[in-house]
């Protein structure tokens, strides 16, 4: 008989009855690290800029700003206009009072030894007005009276002027007593005018800016009358010669006046400002040379030879 041994028969008999101790069972979560899905960080509220104003609101704000600027500009212009008119009125009043006082007392408003010497600064005519000494001298008078004036504007827009016209060999031009002949901005095409057109242009300009000052034609006044103007604080524009010599005539360039008369112009005519008398010298504000002087005897001779033409502003 064959004996078959099982696995149980092969086990040792001693101690088999005691249970074998095994390590205690633990859940997987306790022994292994737990992996959890990452949590999203809570986003902080972002401070965003306010939404831009609507186009209509922008237009309204812009319109209000422009309206305020326009009001300020109008107010500023009105204030400057009033101040300019007031200063001109005061200056004219002071000059008239000084003239009356000097006539009554027999002496000028200047310091003793400097009577009739005024601080006149010449307005130069070049390069804009090579033949515009009349407008430059007028601008000198106006600026001395604290009236701002542009000599080019005076020459081209206010002083009457007329260009030459031609009919065959004949040349036609204005009477210098009525208008400036030619173009004062031209070195070869401009000539001159006398006192009346300068006074007309000056008064038109002064009226346009609301100034109470007016220009006066002093043609025919002698040297004593000019000194009285200086003593009253008024410089005087006079018709003189460029080289401070006796007047010469230009026989090569003549023209026919509106009256039909043939006119021969001066060759060295000039207009400048008499600013004072110091001893035996006359102080001049020359649009070509600036501050100059000439002897009183020469001044009186040339001034009379040029027709004793003069203009003052007061």
């Amino acid at each position: 008989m064959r004996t078959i041994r099982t696995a149980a028969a092969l086990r040792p008999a001693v101690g088999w009855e005691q249970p074998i101790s095994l390590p205690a069972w633990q859940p997987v979560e306790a022994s292994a690290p737990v992996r959890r899905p990452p949590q999203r960080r809570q986003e902080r509220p972002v401070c965003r800029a306010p939404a831009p104003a609507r186009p209509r609101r922008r237009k309204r704000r812009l319109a209000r700003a422009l309206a305020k600027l326009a009001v300020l500009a109008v107010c500023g212009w009105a204030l400057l206009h009033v101040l300019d008119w007031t200063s001109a009125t005061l200056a004219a009043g002071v000059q008239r009072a000084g003239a009356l006082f000097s006539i009554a007392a027999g002496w000028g408003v200047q310091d003793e030894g400097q009577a009739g010497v005024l601080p006149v600064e010449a307005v130069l005519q070049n390069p804009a007005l090579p033949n515009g000494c009349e407008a430059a001298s007028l601008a000198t008078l106006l600026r001395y009276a604290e009236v701002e004036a542009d000599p080019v504007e005076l020459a081209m827009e206010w002083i009457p002027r007329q260009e030459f016209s031609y009919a065959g060999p004949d040349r036609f031009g204005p009477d210098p007593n009525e208008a400036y002949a030619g173009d004062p901005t031209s070195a070869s095409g401009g000539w001159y005018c006398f006192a009346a057109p300068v006074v007309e242009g000056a008064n038109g300009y002064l009226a346009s800016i609301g100034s109470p000052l007016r220009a006066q034609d002093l043609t025919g006044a002698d040297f004593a009358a000019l000194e009285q103007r200086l003593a009253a604080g008024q410089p005087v524009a006079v018709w003189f010669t460029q080289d401070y010599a006796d007047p010469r005539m230009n026989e090569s360039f003549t023209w026919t006046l509106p009256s039909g008369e043939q006119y021969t112009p001066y060759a060295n005519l000039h207009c400048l400002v008499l600013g004072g008398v110091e001893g035996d010298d006359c102080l001049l504000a020359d649009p070509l040379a600036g501050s100059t002087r000439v002897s009183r005897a020469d001044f009186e001779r040339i001034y009379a030879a040029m027709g004793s033409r003069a203009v003052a502003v007061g």
Side-chain angles (χ1 to χ4, degrees), residues 199-222:
V199 170
E200 181 180 348
N203 289 337
Y205 175 74
L206 290 170
S208 70
I209 63 175
S211 174
L213 298 176
R214 289 296 180 268
Q216 300 173 0
D217 188 346
L218 305 179
T219 298
D222 58 10

Side-chain angles (χ1 to χ4, degrees), residues 80-174:
L80 292 176
H81 188 72
V82 171
L83 290 176
D84 181 55
W85 180 86
T86 303
S87 62
T89 303
L90 291 175
V94 170
Q95 290 180 354
R96 293 190 184 97
L100 293 175
F101 184 78
S102 64
I103 293 173
W107 53 277
V109 295
Q110 308 295 327
D111 296 336
E112 185 176 358
Q114 297 292 325
V117 177
L118 306 177
V120 182
E121 183 177 355
V123 175
L124 301 181
Q125 63 187 84
N126 287 322
L129 295 171
N131 280 300
C133 55
E134 300 90 348
S137 295
L138 176 57
T140 299
L141 297 181
L142 294 177
R143 291 186 183 182
Y144 182 81
E146 298 184 352
V147 176
E148 187 60 32
D150 179 23
V152 177
E153 179 184 355
L154 294 174
M156 303 302 292
E157 299 182 17
W158 295 101
I159 296 177
R161 63 187 184 91
Q162 180 181 335
E163 299 284 352
F164 292 101
S165 59
Y166 297 86
D170 298 327
R171 182 186 298 110
F172 299 89

